[in-house]
Amino acid sequence: MDELIKYAPDLLLSFLKNVQIAAVCAVLSLILGTILVSMRVSPTPVLRAAGTVYVNVVRNTPLTLILAFSALGLSDTLGLSFSQTPSTNGFWLVVLGLSAYTATFVCEALRSGINTVPLGQAEAARALGFTFVQSLRMIILPQAFRVVVAPLGSVMIAMMKNTTVAIAAGYLAESAFTMKDIFDDTGVSIPIFLGLIVAFMAVTLPIGFFTGWLAKRLAVT
Amino acid sequence: MTQANILFDTPGPRARLRNNALTLVTVVVLAAIAYFVIAEFGAEGQWDGRIWEPFLQSSTWVNFIIPGLLGTLTAAGLAAVFAVVFGAVFGIARLSDHKWIRVPAGAVVEIFRAVPLLLLIFFIFYASPWVFGGGDYTLMAVVAGLTLYNGSVLAEVVRAGIRAVPRGQSEAAYALGLRKTNVMRLVLLPQAVTAMMPAIVSQLVVLLKDTALGYIIAYVDLLNMGFKIIPAVHFGSLIPAAIVIGVIYVGLNMALSGVAVWLERRSRRSRRTSAKPVMASMSMSTGV
């Protein structure tokens, strides 16, 4: 228990980095995922193909590979840089990789949501003379989002847990590395491990409950 | 196509023009991205024959890539077997009539599903020498972490699969005088397995991808070979190595996903079960 109290400030600070990464990635992956799903159902075959290829390739690549590649490949070898400060640069590299990865799951969730919107809705929109973009924006996507609130919640929970993989991108300010660092110094500590798990649950469980509640409230009956 | 077709009419002359214009814009944008990547590679000397050459030599494959792939497949294979067993035991335990079995099993499943997998692997990796003494625990940590996490997800799949068998089936079996164990063994499980196969295989794709986490604790898998060992031996070959192993990972996972889709179609037509297939998306965990 003593180790947990001793290292609590470090752990808390590094855990807040995980929360920060997750918050930025949530916004970016939802936007990118919506763009991807619009591409995948669009009338233009080339756009559809580009969306499909992106989703299938990125979704089937291990996140560890994506994050290691964004640090070692994109940043070190090809010279992509967001900031002169290494920790800020690392933060944005993680955000880039994790958002690109999570967006594919957002896209797949939304696509299954679009499949549940009744045919009549799209037909009615077309009968009213809506263009593709109008019907997607005003008729289809709002209903699709309502159906997939709960699955999107699961995607966000998984994303929050995946922020620990940031270590693969050489970003060392977050909690998985802090835990490893403490273990290296003082040996394995069960209270520290349990403390971090509780911290993660304190974020993921409310997301689960909130999206579950929202899904019920928004359910199209 | 059917899904896409309901969203827009068969294009008329104006829509065709617009579509063609959009196609042109897309092609131009994609070409610009491709040009940018190629130019950037050129500027950083990534088209140098020297750094690509190792991948044309059999020694690179024999010494690095194939052993790495075997490392990945060993971890994935072991973890898959253990996770399926773990999932079956805990999935059935959660449906037990006895509260003292049901509640602890439920707690284990819920906790291991909520733990970030990397933290679990780190913990096992650092705790093992302390419990078992010195040695190389990288493989064990990866396999144990993957088993506990994916096993817990599979436990939920198993539970959903058994529950998807219509009640009439177990009622009929009880009416025939079968005991609890036999109802499960002879009636529920055989039908549930068919229904949950696609979801299990989808989860195995997640498991296969997650083996890459071993890279972080220096387990010698495909990712480690590609990102640490090959670039160390053939200096500067990081990007070619990343592309080669990326293709291998994507190929493996897509093949396994293809099996899941095929199984789902087959189970939808199957007459061997009265249960609807457990949707892969329902148990979909994004994984790493």
Side-chain angles (χ1 to χ4, degrees):
Chain A
M1 210 51 202
D2 296 342
E3 314 92 275
L4 179 58
I5 294 164
K6 183 178 161 204
Y7 288 108
D10 288 355
L11 286 168
L12 191 66
L13 269 181
S14 57
F15 179 71
L16 286 179
K17 290 287 176 198
N18 290 79
V19 177
Q20 259 179 29
I21 296 174
V24 180
C25 282
V27 176
L28 289 181
S29 62
L30 281 173
I31 295 173
L32 186 55
T34 312
I35 295 174
L36 280 173
V37 81
S38 316
M39 284 169 70
R40 288 200 73 175
V41 297
S42 77
T44 316
V46 183
L47 269 181
R48 274 209 301 272
T52 310
V53 168
Y54 176 86
V55 167
N56 281 330
V57 168
V58 174
R59 198 173 49 143
N60 282 311
T61 312
L63 177 62
T64 323
L65 194 159
I66 295 178
L67 290 181
F69 183 76
S70 45
L72 300 173
L74 288 182
S75 187
D76 293 355
T77 312
L78 296 175
L80 173 74
S81 171
F82 291 99
S83 157
Q84 292 302 314
T85 326
S87 66
T88 317
N89 192 35
F91 180 88
W92 288 105
L93 285 173
V94 172
V95 165
L96 174 76
L98 189 55
S99 305
Y101 179 77
T102 311
T104 61
F105 292 92
V106 171
C107 169
E108 289 305 274
L110 276 175
R111 209 161 63 96
S112 67
I114 288 180
N115 279 331
T116 66
V117 176
L119 219 85
Q121 296 284 328
E123 283 170 348
R126 279 163 50 194
L128 288 172
F130 282 28
T131 63
F132 168 72
V133 175
Q134 281 174 328
S135 77
L136 198 62
R137 190 165 61 84
M138 296 193 269
I139 312 292
I140 308 294
L141 275 183
Q143 296 187 66
F145 262 109
R146 291 170 69 158
V147 178
V148 297
V149 167
L152 281 181
S154 312
V155 171
M156 291 302 136
I157 288 173
M159 190 266 288
M160 173 68 202
K161 295 197 292 176
N162 282 344
T163 57
T164 52
V165 188
I167 196 171
Y171 180 67
L172 306 179
E174 54 77 54
S175 54
F177 179 76
T178 308
M179 184 181 94
K180 178 183 170 320
D181 210 25
I182 297 173
F183 284 1
D184 277 333
D185 277 355
T186 66
V188 68
S189 152
I190 295 174
I192 287 180
F193 176 62
L194 292 181
L196 263 185
I197 290 176
V198 169
F200 271 94
M201 280 178 149
V203 175
T204 53
L205 287 183
I207 299 179
F209 286 130
F210 174 69
T211 49
W213 170 81
L214 200 63
K216 239 177 239 159
R217 242 191 89 109
L218 293 180
V220 185
T221 43
Chain B
M1 273 316 277
T2 50
Q3 179 208 1
N5 274 336
I6 60 161
L7 290 176
F8 44 84
D9 285 302
T10 313
R14 267 205 326 191
R16 262 206 302 276
L17 202 66
R18 207 166 48 220
N19 280 350
N20 288 343
L22 204 56
T23 306
L24 193 68
V25 171
T26 317
V27 170
V28 167
V29 169
L30 290 178
I33 294 174
Y35 175 76
F36 178 75
V37 171
I38 291 169
E40 189 67 17
F41 268 40
E44 302 289 341
Q46 293 301 321
W47 292 125
D48 239 359
R50 183 181 59 80
I51 60 171
W52 288 86
E53 207 195 337
F55 297 94
L56 296 175
Q57 292 161 356
S58 62
S59 63
T60 307
W61 289 84
V62 173
N63 295 334
F64 302 117
I65 296 179
I66 292 172
L69 184 59
L70 285 179
T72 293
L73 293 178
T74 310
L78 286 174
V81 172
F82 291 136
V84 167
V85 172
F86 184 100
V89 169
F90 279 83
I92 294 171
R94 276 198 93 171
L95 291 168
S96 164
D97 289 337
H98 307 291
K99 206 171 174 186
W100 60 272
I101 296 179
R102 198 171 58 221
V103 173
V108 167
V109 167
E110 292 301 333
I111 288 173
F112 282 120
R113 267 178 42 184
V115 177
L117 182 50
L118 184 62
L119 292 187
L120 190 60
I121 291 178
F122 270 151
F123 181 72
I124 298 169
F125 182 60
Y126 279 89
S128 300
W130 184 61
V131 178
F132 306 112
D136 177 16
Y137 292 105
T138 47
L139 175 65
M140 197 196 109
V142 173
V143 170
L146 287 175
T147 301
L148 292 173
Y149 174 71
N150 292 288
S152 300
V153 176
L154 286 179
E156 290 299 279
V157 173
V158 169
R159 192 165 71 122
I162 292 174
R163 283 182 145 181
V165 181
R167 265 167 68 100
Q169 294 285 324
S170 57
E171 281 167 1
Y174 282 121
L176 289 172
L178 289 178
R179 299 280 304 274
K180 226 165 36 183
T181 317
N182 280 339
V183 172
M184 184 62 82
R185 192 169 63 86
L186 300 173
V187 179
L188 294 180
L189 270 184
Q191 300 193 54
V193 165
T194 315
M196 66 204 178
M197 259 333 258
I200 291 178
V201 177
S202 301
Q203 190 60 34
L204 294 185
V205 176
V206 174
L207 188 150
L208 182 60
K209 271 198 310 177
D210 285 358
T211 55
L213 284 172
Y215 166 78
I216 297 171
I217 57 166
Y219 173 63
V220 183
D221 65 349
L222 192 55
L223 191 57
N224 220 313
M225 283 292 183
F227 273 61
K228 285 190 186 143
I229 297 170
I230 294 180
V233 177
H234 302 285
F235 184 73
S237 293
L238 181 97
I239 296 218
I243 292 173
V244 169
I245 62 167
V247 168
I248 298 177
Y249 270 116
V250 172
L252 273 180
N253 288 324
M254 278 183 145
L256 204 52
S257 305
V259 172
V261 171
W262 175 73
L263 279 170
E264 191 167 330
R265 263 194 220 127
R266 213 179 62 148
S267 123
R268 216 175 274 289
R269 293 196 305 261
S270 171
R271 290 194 196 162
R272 301 209 326 244
T273 180
S274 52
K276 284 210 184 88
V278 177
M279 291 306 289
S281 61
M282 199 186 82
S283 64
M284 185 187 82
S285 68
T286 321
V288 177

PDB file of all heavy atoms in Angstrom, chain A residues 132-143:
ATOM      1  N   PHE A 132     -27.978  13.083 -52.375  1.00  0.00           N
ATOM      2  CA  PHE A 132     -27.335  12.071 -51.542  1.00  0.00           C
ATOM      3  C   PHE A 132     -26.822  12.672 -50.235  1.00  0.00           C
ATOM      4  O   PHE A 132     -27.081  12.148 -49.153  1.00  0.00           O
ATOM      5  CB  PHE A 132     -26.172  11.432 -52.315  1.00  0.00           C
ATOM      6  CG  PHE A 132     -25.282  10.592 -51.449  1.00  0.00           C
ATOM      7  CD1 PHE A 132     -25.709   9.367 -50.967  1.00  0.00           C
ATOM      8  CD2 PHE A 132     -24.015  11.046 -51.089  1.00  0.00           C
ATOM      9  CE1 PHE A 132     -24.897   8.598 -50.162  1.00  0.00           C
ATOM     10  CE2 PHE A 132     -23.203  10.283 -50.282  1.00  0.00           C
ATOM     11  CZ  PHE A 132     -23.647   9.059 -49.824  1.00  0.00           C
ATOM     12  N   VAL A 133     -26.142  13.822 -50.351  1.00  0.00           N
ATOM     13  CA  VAL A 133     -25.566  14.433 -49.153  1.00  0.00           C
ATOM     14  C   VAL A 133     -26.665  14.875 -48.199  1.00  0.00           C
ATOM     15  O   VAL A 133     -26.584  14.663 -46.987  1.00  0.00           O
ATOM     16  CB  VAL A 133     -24.658  15.626 -49.534  1.00  0.00           C
ATOM     17  CG1 VAL A 133     -24.161  16.339 -48.285  1.00  0.00           C
ATOM     18  CG2 VAL A 133     -23.492  15.150 -50.367  1.00  0.00           C
ATOM     19  N   GLN A 134     -27.743  15.463 -48.757  1.00  0.00           N
ATOM     20  CA  GLN A 134     -28.850  15.901 -47.899  1.00  0.00           C
ATOM     21  C   GLN A 134     -29.485  14.724 -47.177  1.00  0.00           C
ATOM     22  O   GLN A 134     -29.726  14.781 -45.973  1.00  0.00           O
ATOM     23  CB  GLN A 134     -29.910  16.607 -48.742  1.00  0.00           C
ATOM     24  CG  GLN A 134     -29.552  18.038 -49.076  1.00  0.00           C
ATOM     25  CD  GLN A 134     -30.549  18.654 -50.026  1.00  0.00           C
ATOM     26  OE1 GLN A 134     -31.123  17.959 -50.879  1.00  0.00           O
ATOM     27  NE2 GLN A 134     -30.761  19.946 -49.888  1.00  0.00           N
ATOM     28  N   SER A 135     -29.754  13.633 -47.904  1.00  0.00           N
ATOM     29  CA  SER A 135     -30.442  12.515 -47.250  1.00  0.00           C
ATOM     30  C   SER A 135     -29.532  11.864 -46.214  1.00  0.00           C
ATOM     31  O   SER A 135     -29.981  11.455 -45.149  1.00  0.00           O
ATOM     32  CB  SER A 135     -30.968  11.511 -48.271  1.00  0.00           C
ATOM     33  OG  SER A 135     -29.922  10.714 -48.740  1.00  0.00           O
ATOM     34  N   LEU A 136     -28.222  11.826 -46.522  1.00  0.00           N
ATOM     35  CA  LEU A 136     -27.293  11.247 -45.551  1.00  0.00           C
ATOM     36  C   LEU A 136     -27.247  12.123 -44.294  1.00  0.00           C
ATOM     37  O   LEU A 136     -27.311  11.634 -43.167  1.00  0.00           O
ATOM     38  CB  LEU A 136     -25.894  11.162 -46.187  1.00  0.00           C
ATOM     39  CG  LEU A 136     -24.905  10.221 -45.517  1.00  0.00           C
ATOM     40  CD1 LEU A 136     -25.410   8.792 -45.576  1.00  0.00           C
ATOM     41  CD2 LEU A 136     -23.543  10.310 -46.187  1.00  0.00           C
ATOM     42  N   ARG A 137     -27.181  13.429 -44.493  1.00  0.00           N
ATOM     43  CA  ARG A 137     -26.968  14.350 -43.384  1.00  0.00           C
ATOM     44  C   ARG A 137     -28.233  14.517 -42.541  1.00  0.00           C
ATOM     45  O   ARG A 137     -28.147  14.598 -41.315  1.00  0.00           O
ATOM     46  CB  ARG A 137     -26.538  15.713 -43.940  1.00  0.00           C
ATOM     47  CG  ARG A 137     -26.060  16.707 -42.909  1.00  0.00           C
ATOM     48  CD  ARG A 137     -25.336  17.860 -43.582  1.00  0.00           C
ATOM     49  NE  ARG A 137     -26.196  18.590 -44.505  1.00  0.00           N
ATOM     50  CZ  ARG A 137     -27.031  19.576 -44.132  1.00  0.00           C
ATOM     51  NH1 ARG A 137     -27.083  19.963 -42.896  1.00  0.00           N
ATOM     52  NH2 ARG A 137     -27.799  20.179 -45.023  1.00  0.00           N
ATOM     53  N   MET A 138     -29.391  14.576 -43.196  1.00  0.00           N
ATOM     54  CA  MET A 138     -30.608  14.909 -42.445  1.00  0.00           C
ATOM     55  C   MET A 138     -31.456  13.697 -42.097  1.00  0.00           C
ATOM     56  O   MET A 138     -32.242  13.743 -41.162  1.00  0.00           O
ATOM     57  CB  MET A 138     -31.433  15.918 -43.244  1.00  0.00           C
ATOM     58  CG  MET A 138     -30.674  17.226 -43.410  1.00  0.00           C
ATOM     59  SD  MET A 138     -31.699  18.540 -44.003  1.00  0.00           S
ATOM     60  CE  MET A 138     -31.506  18.413 -45.743  1.00  0.00           C
ATOM     61  N   ILE A 139     -31.347  12.626 -42.872  1.00  0.00           N
ATOM     62  CA  ILE A 139     -32.239  11.481 -42.651  1.00  0.00           C
ATOM     63  C   ILE A 139     -31.479  10.264 -42.132  1.00  0.00           C
ATOM     64  O   ILE A 139     -31.820   9.689 -41.097  1.00  0.00           O
ATOM     65  CB  ILE A 139     -32.982  11.096 -43.955  1.00  0.00           C
ATOM     66  CG1 ILE A 139     -33.590  12.320 -44.618  1.00  0.00           C
ATOM     67  CG2 ILE A 139     -34.002  10.011 -43.679  1.00  0.00           C
ATOM     68  CD1 ILE A 139     -34.723  12.939 -43.859  1.00  0.00           C
ATOM     69  N   ILE A 140     -30.463   9.854 -42.860  1.00  0.00           N
ATOM     70  CA  ILE A 140     -29.842   8.560 -42.580  1.00  0.00           C
ATOM     71  C   ILE A 140     -28.915   8.615 -41.360  1.00  0.00           C
ATOM     72  O   ILE A 140     -29.104   7.873 -40.386  1.00  0.00           O
ATOM     73  CB  ILE A 140     -29.045   8.049 -43.803  1.00  0.00           C
ATOM     74  CG1 ILE A 140     -29.915   8.082 -45.056  1.00  0.00           C
ATOM     75  CG2 ILE A 140     -28.504   6.651 -43.551  1.00  0.00           C
ATOM     76  CD1 ILE A 140     -31.080   7.143 -45.033  1.00  0.00           C
ATOM     77  N   LEU A 141     -27.907   9.485 -41.406  1.00  0.00           N
ATOM     78  CA  LEU A 141     -26.905   9.481 -40.328  1.00  0.00           C
ATOM     79  C   LEU A 141     -27.493   9.765 -38.941  1.00  0.00           C
ATOM     80  O   LEU A 141     -27.124   9.096 -37.973  1.00  0.00           O
ATOM     81  CB  LEU A 141     -25.764  10.448 -40.643  1.00  0.00           C
ATOM     82  CG  LEU A 141     -24.643   9.878 -41.518  1.00  0.00           C
ATOM     83  CD1 LEU A 141     -23.526  10.899 -41.696  1.00  0.00           C
ATOM     84  CD2 LEU A 141     -24.076   8.589 -40.936  1.00  0.00           C
ATOM     85  N   PRO A 142     -28.416  10.759 -38.803  1.00  0.00           N
ATOM     86  CA  PRO A 142     -28.965  10.982 -37.456  1.00  0.00           C
ATOM     87  C   PRO A 142     -29.603   9.720 -36.871  1.00  0.00           C
ATOM     88  O   PRO A 142     -29.431   9.418 -35.693  1.00  0.00           O
ATOM     89  CB  PRO A 142     -30.010  12.079 -37.683  1.00  0.00           C
ATOM     90  CG  PRO A 142     -29.558  12.790 -38.902  1.00  0.00           C
ATOM     91  CD  PRO A 142     -28.914  11.753 -39.761  1.00  0.00           C
ATOM     92  N   GLN A 143     -30.312   8.963 -37.734  1.00  0.00           N
ATOM     93  CA  GLN A 143     -30.939   7.735 -37.225  1.00  0.00           C
ATOM     94  C   GLN A 143     -29.899   6.654 -36.969  1.00  0.00           C
ATOM     95  O   GLN A 143     -29.999   5.892 -36.004  1.00  0.00           O
ATOM     96  CB  GLN A 143     -31.982   7.238 -38.215  1.00  0.00           C
ATOM     97  CG  GLN A 143     -33.128   8.212 -38.387  1.00  0.00           C
ATOM     98  CD  GLN A 143     -34.224   7.624 -39.242  1.00  0.00           C
ATOM     99  OE1 GLN A 143     -34.871   6.668 -38.852  1.00  0.00           O
ATOM    100  NE2 GLN A 143     -34.419   8.196 -40.418  1.00  0.00           N
TER     101      GLN A 143
END
